[in-house]
Amino acid sequence: MADIRRPQQVNAYFQTETGYATIGKNTQAEGALSHIGLLDTFDPRMLDHQYAAVSTVGYSVAPHVLKGATMVTLPLKIGAWGNGWKTLLGRCIGQTTIDSAARPAYLRNDIQTVAIVAEEELASTWQGSLASGVAFNKATLDLDYTSNAPVTIDFDATAYYVVDEATAGTRTQARTFAGDFITADYSSQTLASEPTTDPILPTDVEIKYSTGSMSKGFTFDGPANSYVEVGEKYILGYLSTGLLDSNFGTGGIYDMTLDANNTLTKLKDLIDNDTGWGTQTILGGAGSSNPLDLQKGVYSDGGSAFMPSSMTVWPYVKTAKLTIDNQHIPLPGVGTGVDGSKKLLQNNDIARGESIITLEITSTAKDETFYDEMVAGDALPLVRLDFGTNGSIALTNGRIMSRTAGYAAGTEVTETVAMQFYGAGNYTNYSKYAISGDF
């Protein structure tokens, strides 16, 4: 058999980092490795030294080539299998600890990274690679209902730095990254088992949308200068200090999926009895409505969160593509390694830019609903991707940026609608709720 490199001999695992590249910088202890999911495209060692040629008179070819900042990118496309995709996509959105678990409730301003450990079985030994400070600049979630292939997420990721195990040996020895610019020892960590469930398919995901003006809603009456944040699963109540109000629900939180909170009437009765909170108002006769359909955003004391009159299943979907583009800002600089060496790194640090949340759906054209919405300049109040037992993603206040539905002889008419989302509310940075996840 030819001795060549084969993708079927590669596996990858990850550990979340508490700060930028804290695993590789040896400021965070190694821990349990998580299974990354279905690997579709992956390269843990894509380095660009950004060489620059220096031309001079008297030479036919530039005689000097100077090394620039080392840039590490990490192509990663995975299928939604197990729970790994939830963590990686969640850290692209931004995870916040709510109700004792890390949840992608809203877009955060910080960079949340992971360390990725890759292993490859060679002809007679194993080789390992460690990438630390893997930051998710962009994620594209793809659903193809025509093939019903597993749901995929394509990440545009960068890394602080990457190293290989210097002396490839046994499988465990290949995870001992010592004496290099970044270090970590995963030789004693048990590798995560493969998920026992099937990968998520597009037919497992239902897409719903809403249109029209909104009269149904809920007006909050809280302590002076208080505010609430309405997410896909939780309502958070804050005091004027910016701290959660311990008198609001349980530790400042209402879980809208609980039976006790699953109508606006039930929610009103509970909040009205919270110390310091006044009389909430239900708008438009929405007492029996589920609060999960409230627009996601931030609302001040006296502010009103509205909801669509109904949610409709998007008809005849062929493909759907959700993109989270965080527009990261690389901060080049000289990094000092664990071994004391110094390197000029393109991603010595990373800052988060302004996120852009878009959804593009192609379907068999049914009517003029989305064309009319685009011409009128009206927003889609709420769009939801429902993954069933695997959670959901809510997109709030979407503008239709473009819509095409051309005619071709002898074929069906397909419609492609591209939307961008902005969140809702009347207080502080409500736009962070342009996307809110429950997974």
Side-chain angles (χ1 to χ4, degrees):
M1 183 177 67
D3 186 13
I4 60 173
R5 311 298 279 271
R6 287 176 290 271
Q8 61 265 37
Q9 294 174 288
V10 176
N11 289 297
Y13 310 88
F14 71 92
Q15 180 185 352
T16 59
E17 294 182 310
T18 56
Y20 186 59
T22 48
I23 290 291
K25 293 177 181 179
N26 209 18
T27 57
Q28 177 186 344
E30 301 87 343
L33 290 167
S34 299
H35 195 279
I36 212 164
L38 285 173
L39 270 178
D40 180 279
T41 304
F42 179 54
D43 186 351
R45 300 183 296 171
M46 186 174 285
L47 280 75
D48 181 357
H49 291 308
Q50 304 188 95
Y51 286 105
V54 181
S55 301
T56 185
V57 173
Y59 288 85
S60 300
V61 175
H64 301 288
V65 179
L66 303 182
K67 182 179 177 297
T70 298
M71 179 171 62
V72 183
T73 55
L74 200 145
L76 176 63
K77 183 178 180 181
I78 62 172
W81 187 34
N83 292 318
W85 70 273
K86 299 178 184 180
T87 300
L88 300 185
L89 183 61
R91 293 182 83 74
C92 182
I93 298 169
Q95 291 183 315
T96 302
T97 300
I98 301 174
D99 197 17
S100 303
R103 308 177 190 276
Y106 54 82
L107 293 164
R108 290 180 57 104
N109 294 320
D110 57 336
I111 300 291
Q112 297 183 348
T113 60
V114 301
I116 290 182
V117 175
E119 60 174 12
E120 181 177 5
E121 185 179 5
L122 303 178
S124 59
T125 186
W126 290 79
Q127 176 175 285
S129 298
L130 168 69
S132 186
V134 177
F136 303 108
N137 175 53
K138 186 176 181 180
T140 303
L141 185 147
D142 273 304
L143 302 98
D144 186 345
Y145 290 84
T146 61
S147 66
N148 205 32
V151 174
T152 62
I153 308 171
D154 193 353
F155 293 100
D156 171 12
T158 60
Y160 172 69
Y161 199 67
V162 61
V163 296
D164 298 323
E165 170 51 38
T167 54
T170 65
R171 192 175 188 181
T172 53
Q173 288 173 335
R175 299 196 301 273
T176 305
F177 307 96
D180 214 322
F181 187 78
I182 59 174
T183 65
D185 186 354
Y186 284 99
S187 60
S188 62
Q189 297 294 330
T190 302
L191 296 178
S193 301
E194 290 188 349
T196 56
T197 56
D198 291 331
I200 298 174
L201 304 178
T203 48
D204 298 323
V205 184
E206 185 176 64
I207 303 176
K208 290 186 174 182
Y209 72 96
S210 57
T211 60
S213 59
M214 295 176 291
S215 59
K216 294 183 177 182
F218 195 86
T219 301
F220 294 93
D221 180 12
N225 299 315
S226 63
Y227 61 96
V228 297
E229 297 190 3
V230 180
E232 173 64 341
K233 181 177 181 179
Y234 297 97
I235 298 179
L236 310 177
Y238 289 90
L239 297 169
S240 60
T241 58
L243 300 175
L244 284 172
D245 183 354
S246 60
N247 294 317
F248 184 85
T250 303
I253 299 169
Y254 273 104
D255 181 346
M256 294 179 285
T257 64
L258 299 178
D259 289 343
N261 310 329
N262 65 3
T263 69
L264 289 182
T265 295
K266 292 179 182 179
L267 193 63
K268 167 183 164 54
D269 292 343
L270 290 168
I271 298 177
D272 286 353
N273 286 309
D274 288 339
T275 302
W277 289 75
T279 302
Q280 320 308 302
T281 304
I282 296 173
L283 305 174
S288 61
S289 298
N290 193 325
L292 284 171
D293 289 338
L294 290 170
Q295 281 193 301
K296 316 310 172 188
V298 186
Y299 302 91
S300 63
D301 172 32
S304 298
F306 288 94
M307 66 195 316
S309 58
S310 63
M311 298 287 291
T312 304
V313 176
W314 201 297
Y316 311 123
V317 176
K318 292 180 176 295
T319 63
K321 179 182 294 185
L322 171 64
T323 301
I324 304 157
D325 186 353
N326 293 323
Q327 302 190 95
H328 284 175
I329 304 166
L331 303 174
V334 177
T336 301
V338 178
D339 61 357
S341 65
K342 296 184 181 296
K343 296 183 185 294
L344 179 60
L345 303 175
Q346 179 70 19
N347 303 313
N348 191 52
D349 209 341
I350 294 282
R352 186 159 180 158
E354 181 182 78
S355 296
I356 301 174
I357 310 300
T358 57
L359 177 66
E360 181 180 286
I361 293 181
T362 297
S363 62
T364 299
K366 180 183 178 183
D367 52 33
E368 298 293 286
T369 296
F370 301 111
Y371 175 77
D372 293 341
E373 289 289 314
M374 182 184 68
V375 171
D378 294 334
L380 302 183
L382 193 66
V383 177
R384 175 175 286 118
L385 280 66
D386 189 344
F387 293 79
T389 57
N390 285 291
S392 60
I393 296 174
L395 306 168
T396 297
N397 194 16
R399 298 285 177 176
I400 297 178
M401 312 304 286
S402 66
R403 178 262 186 191
T404 60
Y407 299 99
T411 64
E412 65 176 329
V413 178
T414 59
E415 179 181 50
T416 299
V417 179
M419 299 150 279
Q420 189 166 324
F421 296 85
Y422 300 91
N426 68 341
Y427 192 69
T428 65
N429 178 21
Y430 63 80
S431 68
K432 67 184 181 180
Y433 279 95
I435 183 170
S436 179
D438 168 23
F439 55 84

